[in-house]
Amino acid sequence: MATLEQCQHAIFDHIYRYGEVFDKLMAEEVLLAVHQLEDAVRLELFHLKLAKAFLAFELK
């Protein structure tokens, strides 16, 4: 997740520095895709933590 956050930060930084060379809609689409990927990873991690908690309960 930190990698995805760093990617977003890098894109925002490049837009800040070189915004004139970016197509606004394309930049938004790329950032949205990265954001959605981050959400998917967080959701997967949530499900893994939940499964781990139930498994730990069953094993005690």
Side-chain angles (χ1 to χ4, degrees):
M1 286 181 284
T3 301
L4 293 169
E5 290 174 4
Q6 290 175 0
C7 288
Q8 287 178 341
H9 179 73
I11 294 168
F12 283 125
D13 186 57
H14 268 65
I15 292 170
Y16 173 74
R17 293 171 187 256
Y18 312 107
E20 70 277 357
V21 299
F22 286 93
D23 177 83
K24 289 181 181 181
L25 291 177
M26 180 61 70
E28 183 177 2
E29 285 184 36
V30 170
L31 281 166
L32 184 58
V34 173
H35 179 73
Q36 289 171 340
L37 182 57
E38 183 181 8
D39 282 349
V41 170
R42 287 185 188 276
L43 183 59
E44 184 176 341
L45 180 60
F46 167 82
H47 286 292
L48 289 172
K49 286 181 177 180
L50 182 59
K52 179 183 173 184
F54 277 114
L55 182 60
F57 171 76
E58 291 173 8
L59 293 176
K60 71 175 187 172

